Amino acid sequence: MFIGFIPVLFAFAATLASFKHLALARALWIVCAILVVIWTTWHGAHHLSDLKQLGSW
């Protein structure tokens, strides 16, 4: 249910890491972006039928 919060945690960790470790921060931002894409695809797939019925498409 709260899987969408995980990319936020990675973004926060990347922000903190950017103060001292640029390479680590860059890697964490990449992981964060990948997690956002995975979560959006997974979560959005559950709502496609609802959106089609509401005429949003």
Side-chain angles (χ1 to χ4, degrees):
M1 179 174 171
F2 296 103
I3 189 101
F5 186 65
I6 293 172
V8 174
L9 291 176
F10 273 87
F12 183 70
T15 303
L16 292 178
S18 68
F19 293 126
K20 294 202 179 225
H21 304 288
L22 190 59
L24 176 62
R26 193 172 291 134
L28 287 171
W29 280 117
I30 291 169
V31 170
C32 178
I34 291 169
L35 287 172
V36 167
V37 168
I38 291 170
W39 180 80
T40 303
T41 304
W42 178 79
H43 184 75
H46 293 342
H47 294 288
L48 275 177
S49 61
D50 297 331
L51 291 173
K52 288 179 183 177
Q53 288 178 350
L54 294 173
S56 297
W57 289 90

